[in-house]
Amino acid sequence: MSLTDAELERYARHIVLPQVGGLGQRRLKEARIAVVGAGGIGSAVIPALAGAGVGKLTIVDSDTVDVANLHRQPLYRERDAGYSKAELALQFVHRLNSLVEARPLQERIDRDNAATLLDGHDLVIDGSDNFATRLAVSDACVTLGIPLLSAAAMQFQGQVGLFRSQPCYRCFVGDAFDTDDCDNCAELGVLGALTATVGSLAALLAVNRIVGVGEEQAGKLHLFDGEKLEWRTIRIPPDPSCRACGSA
Ligand SMILES: [Zn+2]
């Protein structure tokens, strides 16, 4: 898939980077990425990926905008309250980059529909706000063989991790949270500026992975402390008895 003159001009600051070049930009154009959750994380990830020229972007969110979202979800404005996040995010993408083929799915993703909704993507980025959704998305990604980039922020803590086959996200959190569909942000709070920081790292990791920059990130979890302003990285051990990716 070659780049048009308009694309060469538009992505010139990418293409001039030796690590990206025309090949990297073509890889972005060919990429099919699903973003689960157009909330705080999605508000950083979706503009970054649309701006970067990701060819196909699926945005999954069943929610409508609430005024209590606006402190961390700059995709939306006051007048958007009550309207579908997936549809509004689609409009944002079209305004930012008409070359991106975006598809909104106004659906709540769960155990029953996750594999159907996520099939056909090269990468899934999960920025949802509850464990039941994250585990359903993770299990579907393991089944489909799609790498999963999971990003979350709560209070002053953030985390970003890439999971590919083994270990999976379930190896990390276990089985205790499958029915936990509470909105963590609503209960415990989250600093608005933190979600942008965490979402931006997720977007950077996604672009690097698609382009082929840097070392393999799968199995590592990047943790951010928003009070100390420190990142640290841990390695997630595979769980041999994991019911999603384990061999037992
Ligand atoms: Zn696992």
Side-chain angles (χ1 to χ4, degrees):
M1 195 185 283
S2 59
L3 298 171
T4 64
D5 287 347
E7 287 167 329
L8 290 171
E9 182 184 2
R10 180 175 191 120
Y11 305 121
R13 301 298 185 279
H14 261 179
I15 293 166
V16 76
L17 292 167
Q19 297 93 329
V20 181
L23 176 62
Q25 194 60 49
R26 288 201 302 277
R27 286 176 175 158
L28 287 166
K29 183 178 178 177
E30 288 162 9
R32 301 161 300 176
I33 299 183
V35 179
V36 179
I41 301 291
S43 282
V45 166
I46 292 165
L49 296 186
V54 165
K56 291 191 169 70
L57 209 50
T58 304
I59 299 160
V60 190
D61 201 310
S62 63
D63 253 359
T64 54
V65 175
D66 184 277
V67 289
N69 300 144
L70 297 176
H71 86 299
R72 68 183 188 284
Q73 301 182 12
L75 276 180
Y76 314 115
R77 287 172 275 183
E78 288 177 4
R79 69 178 188 207
D80 295 332
Y83 289 96
S84 158
K85 289 186 180 179
E87 286 292 341
L88 289 163
L90 170 84
Q91 291 169 21
F92 181 98
V93 170
H94 281 167
R95 282 196 298 268
L96 175 60
N97 191 346
S98 57
L99 302 173
V100 176
E101 207 177 297
R103 186 164 65 109
L105 292 177
Q106 198 184 346
E107 302 222 31
R108 182 152 183 103
I109 204 160
D110 60 26
R111 183 153 304 288
D112 296 326
N113 65 11
T116 306
L117 297 181
L118 299 176
D119 193 17
H121 294 92
D122 306 307
L123 177 68
V124 171
I125 302 177
D126 182 14
S128 63
D129 60 7
N130 66 85
F131 283 108
T133 300
R134 290 179 198 145
L135 285 165
V137 168
S138 173
D139 290 352
C141 286
V142 172
T143 302
L144 296 166
I146 302 174
L148 168 66
L149 183 44
S150 175
M154 195 162 52
Q155 298 183 319
F156 281 79
Q157 306 295 319
Q159 63 184 43
V160 179
L162 179 69
F163 299 88
R164 188 167 55 82
S165 58
Q166 209 176 20
C168 73
Y169 183 76
R170 186 178 287 281
C171 292
F172 171 49
V173 301
D175 298 334
F177 299 107
D178 279 297
T179 56
D180 176 6
D181 61 354
C182 69
D183 180 343
N184 295 308
C185 290
E187 289 185 356
L188 299 169
V190 59
L191 197 76
L194 176 72
T195 55
T197 304
V198 173
S200 290
L201 184 75
L204 176 61
L205 210 156
V207 169
N208 280 356
R209 180 178 173 83
I210 298 290
V211 171
V213 173
E215 58 186 45
E216 177 60 70
Q217 294 292 325
K220 287 192 222 169
L221 192 70
H222 304 279
L223 301 163
F224 184 65
D225 184 322
E227 290 185 85
K228 292 182 183 166
L229 301 181
E230 286 175 359
W231 285 99
R232 68 192 175 93
T233 303
I234 60 171
R235 197 164 271 287
I236 311 258
D239 175 1
S241 62
C242 172
R243 75 167 202 244
C245 75
S247 51

